[in-house]
Amino acid sequence: MEQSHVSALQMKHAGIERQLRDEMSRPLPDLSLVQTLKKRKLRIKEELSTA
């Protein structure tokens, strides 16, 4: 896999991680959003592991 693609995936992963942290720090986190973000993060992680 191309290095720039790996870098882009890592940046996306970090962005989702940040969104998750922000959402979880709210008094009433949107649990459906949290679940969606976790799924996206997992897909990116799986793609990175096959790189």
Side-chain angles (χ1 to χ4, degrees), residues 14-27:
I16 293 171
E17 181 67 41
R18 203 165 29 255
Q19 283 179 279
L20 264 172
R21 203 170 36 244
D22 289 350
E23 190 61 36
M24 293 304 288
S25 69
R26 292 176 45 185

Side-chain angles (χ1 to χ4, degrees), residues 16 20 32-46:
I16 293 171
L20 264 172
S32 64
L33 176 60
V34 168
Q35 188 174 31
T36 300
L37 289 171
K38 285 183 176 183
K39 285 179 184 174
R40 283 179 27 206
K41 194 172 123 182
L42 181 60
R43 275 198 297 275
I44 291 171
K45 190 174 182 179
E46 287 171 350

